[in-house]
């Protein structure tokens, strides 16, 4: 049996997660734009982890994860690896996840330190001071990376943000055990 089709044949509602890495949350806002379709989709799945629900730990046995945002710091890196290890189908959700997009604009500065210097010293309006508390802020990576540079991605859902219609189509296809065919529907930006 096709592995995606096995999702629908499992006799239970697929376990779905959404994850927020280095993005502006606009992709999640677009998810909420499903409006009344949210109830229809929610009835066909179990939302087990998301910034939209009160779950603190990413669980095991997730069927589908929509991951928003690029990988910009050490915490994103660790989270994404955990998500990959515990998820059957990982969807790169939005342009930042797919290409780096806005989050990766800082890559032109070449490394993390010039970014911090620019944000906290040169552009600061007050007495400049770099963040001192170790562990308070996850260390930035020198280069922002799209998801597929770190882990295997199963499906790509571009758009800044992807439209609610596209999110609905992709999720519905996966919940029905079909691989979404996005070739004629792709749009960046
Ligand atoms: S793709 Fe666009 S809407 Fe989504 S997180 Fe990135 S900047 Fe925000």
């Amino acid at each position: 049996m096709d592995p995606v089709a096995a999702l629908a044949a499992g006799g239970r509602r697929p376990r779905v997660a959404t994850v927020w890495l280095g993005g502006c949350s606009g992709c999640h806002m677009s998810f909420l734009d499903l409006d009344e379709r949210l109830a229809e989709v929610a009835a066909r799945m179990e939302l087990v982890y998301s910034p939209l629900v009160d779950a603190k730990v990413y669980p095991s046995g997730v069927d589908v994860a929509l991951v928003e945002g690029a990988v910009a710091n050490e915490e994103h890196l660790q989270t994404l690896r955990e998500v990959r290890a515990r998820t059957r189908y990982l969807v790169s959700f939005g342009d930042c996840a797919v290409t780096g997009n806005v989050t990766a604009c800082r890559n032109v500065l070449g490394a993390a330190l010039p970014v911090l210097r620019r944000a906290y010293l040169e552009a600061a309006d007050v007495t400049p001071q770099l963040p001192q508390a170790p562990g308070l802020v996850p260390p930035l990576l020198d280069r922002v990376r799209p998801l597929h540079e770190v882990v295997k991605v199963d499906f790509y859902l571009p758009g800044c943000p992807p439209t609610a219609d596209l999110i609905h189509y992709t999720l519905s296809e996966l919940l029905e055990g079909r691989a979404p065919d996005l070739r004629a529907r792709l749009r960046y930006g």
Side-chain angles (χ1 to χ4, degrees):
M1 180 183 292
D2 177 277
V4 177
L7 256 188
R12 59 170 175 80
R13 288 187 300 166
R15 289 160 57 82
V16 175
T18 76
V19 180
W20 181 14
L21 301 182
C24 73
S25 91
C27 294
H28 274 83
M29 294 302 106
S30 196
F31 191 111
L32 293 178
D33 280 343
L34 263 65
D35 296 328
E36 67 276 7
R37 289 178 291 183
L38 281 172
E40 168 248 311
V41 166
R44 292 192 283 143
M45 68 183 200
E46 186 185 353
L47 188 62
V48 293
Y49 181 90
S50 172
L52 307 173
V53 300
D54 190 24
K56 304 288 186 247
V57 177
Y58 194 88
S60 300
V62 174
D63 294 305
V64 176
L66 303 181
V67 183
E68 172 193 316
V71 183
N73 64 37
E74 296 285 353
E75 186 177 270
H76 297 154
L77 205 53
Q78 184 184 338
T79 300
L80 181 59
R81 287 178 176 144
E82 275 179 17
V83 168
R84 177 68 280 180
R86 299 175 186 176
T87 306
R88 291 174 77 182
Y89 299 109
L90 192 154
V91 181
S92 198
F93 181 30
D95 283 355
C96 291
V98 175
T99 69
N101 194 35
V102 178
T103 313
C105 287
R106 72 160 166 92
N107 285 350
V108 296
L109 294 176
L113 197 55
V115 175
L116 293 170
R117 191 176 290 126
R118 175 71 188 138
Y120 289 99
L121 298 182
E122 296 165 10
D125 206 15
V126 294
T127 307
Q129 204 171 36
L130 281 171
Q132 292 296 314
L136 196 61
V137 179
L140 293 185
L141 301 178
D142 279 334
R143 186 173 159 274
V144 175
R145 301 159 75 185
L147 304 193
H148 65 270
E149 287 191 11
V150 179
V151 297
K152 175 178 176 286
V153 167
D154 299 297
F155 300 102
Y156 294 87
L157 181 50
C160 183
T163 63
D165 285 346
L166 199 56
I167 297 168
H168 182 255
Y169 167 76
T170 302
L171 196 50
S172 295
E173 288 296 281
L174 287 168
L175 294 178
E176 292 302 318
R178 295 187 291 265
D181 183 358
L182 294 165
R183 285 172 296 184
R185 301 166 187 256
L186 292 185
R187 175 185 68 87
Y188 289 83

